[in-house]
């Protein structure tokens, strides 16, 4: 198949999933065209069967807000026409599903045919899509997609509820990892640069948005560090970073907290981690928790959203109500002080990640779905 993929190219789960999917599909013999304003961050090397098309956005003085969505639609239309794409697969509804719909209509207007598949990732539905300025266009665009997927059952339910579209047929296709990349390889991780031998490494990786509750990460760490010598390693960056740094200072933990900033690959670092914290308000899936599990890192986080479909509570990690930092700290201490308990969680996490979410199990689900959509099925 010839497939166009559009995603946010910067750091974030949806861009990571879209890029990994493109790479996997190219390896399986498909021709993949990425269409975005920048090279996706995990697409760094030449790869056979894979092409990148940069969307140029003209900055005319009249435009206080350059219309990226329109420029994207034009690129999607041109690339579909010039390369004979069968299907455009967009990740994150806003504005990609809308741009895809415009492009598909332009193709049809010229007598051509291309299908549009939209993958919902989370905040496009649970936060941004419900903002009154975007709600109706998000509903319109997802209803007009030829195929619609969500990364978890939780997100599928949220979409039905939020957009009152029981007639939208949403296929759940979970996120995935490449087990050969995400595996525990401590020899690659330079542990001595992060902590001393007697200290445990507690890690958090995200875009530091409010939904991640990174102050709770600091609060859990503060409690566990009262009994366990440990260091907290933050990877990523975003708007809540100053608040987390201030809180670490207030709690007198500043010297035990390291902010590494944004990194393109995290598998090596995860190999150093003893515990991963993800106390988010909600996660439609929690790709980073899956990456941690695949690297044998137990996860402590919040219950009640899509993370419960990834972390098996009591087996690969512990999930507690949002904001219950006491319970999260208690579970963390148990994991960090009982080596047998930790080893069983580490092993179960790896096994569960590979059995349920390995790329070679999930990517064929997309291929089958594309075939259904091309044959006239889908939403
Ligand atoms: O977590 C974010 O804010 C980034 C966002 C994105 O679109 O990149 O992540 C969402 O998509 C990821 C990939 O499917 C999921 O693993 C995350 O759980 C989801 N984030 C939220 O639901 C908050």
């Amino acid at each position: 198949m010839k497939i166009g993929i559009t995603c946010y190219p910067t750091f974030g789960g949806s861009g990571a999933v879209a890029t990994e999917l493109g790479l996997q599909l190219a390896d399986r013999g498909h021709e993949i065209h990425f269409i975005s304003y920048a090279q996706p961050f995990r697409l760094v090397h030449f790869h056979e069967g894979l092409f990148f098309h940069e969307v140029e956005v003209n900055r005319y003085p009249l435009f206080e807000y350059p219309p990226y969505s329109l420029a994207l639609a034009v690129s999607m239309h041109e690339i579909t026409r010039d390369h004979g794409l069968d299907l455009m697969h967009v990740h994150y509804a806003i504005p990609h599903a809308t741009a895809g719909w415009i492009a598909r209509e332009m193709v049809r207007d010229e007598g051509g045919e291309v299908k549009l598949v939209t993958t919902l990732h989370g905040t496009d539905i649970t936060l941004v899509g419900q903002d009154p300025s975007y709600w109706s266009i998000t509903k319109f665009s997802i209803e007009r997609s030829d195929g619609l997927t969500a990364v978890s059952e939780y997100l599928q339910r949220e979409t039905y509820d939020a957009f009152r579209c029981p007639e939208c047929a949403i296929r759940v296709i979970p996120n995935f990892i490449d087990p050969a990349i995400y595996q525990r390889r401590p020899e690659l991780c330079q542990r001595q640069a992060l902590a001393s031998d007697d200290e445990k490494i507690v890690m958090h990786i995200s875009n530091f948005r409010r939904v991640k509750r990174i102050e709770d990460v600091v609060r859990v760490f503060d409690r566990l560090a009262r009994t366990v010598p440990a260091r907290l390693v933050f990877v990523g960056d975003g708007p809540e970073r100053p608040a987390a740094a201030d809180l670490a200072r207030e709690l007198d933990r500043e010297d035990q907290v390291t902010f590494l900033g944004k990194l393109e690959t995290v598998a090596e670092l995860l190999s150093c981690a003893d515990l991963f914290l993800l106390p988010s308000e909600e996660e439609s899936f929690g790709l980073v928790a899956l990456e941690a599990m695949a690297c044998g890192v137990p996860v402590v986080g919040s219950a009640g959203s899509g993370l419960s479909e990834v972390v098996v509570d009591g087996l690969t990690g512990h999930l507690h109500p949002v904001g219950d930092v006491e319970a999260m700290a208690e579970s963390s201490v148990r994991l960090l002080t009982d080596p047998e308990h930790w080893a069983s969680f580490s092993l179960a996490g790896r096994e569960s990640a590979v059995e349920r979410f390995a790329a070679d199990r999930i990517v064929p689900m997309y291929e089958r779905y594309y075939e259904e959509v091309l044959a006239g099925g889908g939403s």
Side-chain angles (χ1 to χ4, degrees), residues 149-169:
T149 79
V151 296
S152 62
E153 287 169 15
Y154 167 79
L155 186 60
Q156 182 193 45
R157 284 194 302 274
E158 287 290 304
T159 310
Y160 287 140
D161 291 351
F163 293 100
R164 301 194 288 273
C165 67
E167 73 280 9
C168 305

Side-chain angles (χ1 to χ4, degrees), residues 88-106:
M88 296 180 288
H89 186 176
V90 301
H91 293 258
Y92 208 89
I94 306 166
H96 302 150
T98 315
W101 172 75
I102 297 172
R104 186 192 66 195
E105 295 310 301
M106 290 166 80

Side-chain angles (χ1 to χ4, degrees), residues 8 11-17 92 119-124 126-127 151 154-155 175 206-207 209 211-212 280 282-288:
Y8 282 104
F11 297 81
S14 59
V17 170
Y92 208 89
T119 289
L120 308 173
H121 279 273
T123 47
D124 45 352
T126 56
L127 290 176
V151 296
Y154 167 79
L155 186 60
N175 291 331
S206 77
N207 52 20
R209 307 217 176 263
V211 69
K212 302 292 174 184
S280 313
E282 65 181 330
E283 285 292 340
S284 66
F285 185 89
L287 177 66
V288 71

Side-chain angles (χ1 to χ4, degrees), residues 50-362:
L50 208 147
F51 306 88
F52 168 62
H53 307 268
E54 186 170 331
V55 178
E56 290 203 21
V57 190
N58 192 334
R59 293 181 182 275
Y60 188 65
L62 194 66
F63 297 154
E64 192 172 342
Y65 304 103
Y68 171 64
S69 312
L70 298 183
L72 174 62
V74 169
S75 293
M76 289 167 109
H77 163 242
E78 282 173 1
I79 290 152
T80 299
R81 185 193 57 203
D82 296 350
H83 295 271
L85 300 189
D86 301 300
L87 189 138
M88 296 180 288
H89 186 176
V90 301
H91 293 258
Y92 208 89
I94 306 166
H96 302 150
T98 315
W101 172 75
I102 297 172
R104 186 192 66 195
E105 295 310 301
M106 290 166 80
V107 171
R108 282 187 180 164
D109 210 45
E110 292 168 346
E113 182 57 26
V114 65
K115 298 287 185 182
L116 174 64
V117 171
T118 299
T119 289
L120 308 173
H121 279 273
T123 47
D124 45 352
I125 295 304
T126 56
L127 290 176
V128 192
Q130 293 186 45
D131 183 303
S133 7
Y134 298 118
W135 187 84
S136 54
I137 191 69
T138 306
K139 178 172 161 66
F140 174 85
S141 308
I142 64 180
E143 285 177 353
R144 293 299 181 282
S145 297
D146 301 299
L148 203 51
T149 79
V151 296
S152 62
E153 287 169 15
Y154 167 79
L155 186 60
Q156 182 193 45
R157 284 194 302 274
E158 287 290 304
T159 310
Y160 287 140
D161 291 351
F163 293 100
R164 301 194 288 273
C165 67
E167 73 280 9
C168 305
I170 304 173
R171 178 74 53 91
V172 175
I173 303 183
N175 291 331
F176 59 89
I177 39 100
D178 181 340
I181 295 175
Y182 288 91
Q183 58 172 311
R184 198 165 188 86
R185 289 196 293 176
E187 69 282 4
L188 298 182
C189 86
Q190 303 181 48
R191 194 181 195 286
Q192 69 291 347
L194 296 172
S196 56
D197 288 348
D198 64 333
E199 286 175 318
K200 299 292 183 188
I201 296 181
V202 178
M203 199 168 280
H204 173 83
I205 304 173
S206 77
N207 52 20
F208 295 19
R209 307 217 176 263
R210 188 174 288 229
V211 69
K212 302 292 174 184
R213 296 182 68 98
I214 63 168
E215 288 181 60
D216 280 5
V217 174
V218 179
R219 289 196 181 91
V220 173
F221 177 76
D222 173 53
R223 282 165 174 77
L224 75 84
R226 292 173 198 164
T227 43
V228 185
R231 296 199 66 86
L232 173 58
V233 177
F234 275 113
V235 183
D237 210 344
E240 298 299 308
R241 174 184 168 147
D246 286 351
L247 183 60
R249 205 168 304 119
E250 254 171 56
L251 296 170
D252 212 15
R253 296 286 179 197
E254 199 183 0
D255 294 345
Q256 289 163 274
V257 179
T258 308
F259 288 91
L260 292 180
K262 291 180 182 177
L263 293 170
E264 281 181 8
T265 59
V266 292
E268 300 84 1
L269 261 185
L270 281 168
S271 288
C272 276
D274 298 297
L275 180 73
F276 192 83
L277 293 179
L278 195 59
S280 313
E281 188 74 33
E282 65 181 330
E283 285 292 340
S284 66
F285 185 89
L287 177 66
V288 71
L290 173 60
E291 292 171 344
M293 279 164 45
C295 293
V297 188
V299 177
V300 170
S302 22
S305 60
L307 195 55
S308 309
E309 294 171 43
V310 179
V311 175
V312 186
D313 193 15
L315 191 72
T316 73
H318 289 289
L319 301 180
H320 297 287
V322 174
D324 192 345
V325 291
E326 282 301 341
M328 291 183 198
E330 247 175 61
S331 296
S332 303
V333 169
R334 167 98 203 274
L335 280 163
L336 294 174
T337 54
D338 180 342
E340 273 182 32
H341 185 62
W342 185 90
S344 79
F345 275 59
S346 169
L347 187 65
R350 167 76 187 170
E351 281 176 1
S352 174
V354 174
E355 263 167 37
R356 296 188 298 149
F357 302 111
D360 58 8
R361 182 175 148 73
I362 307 298

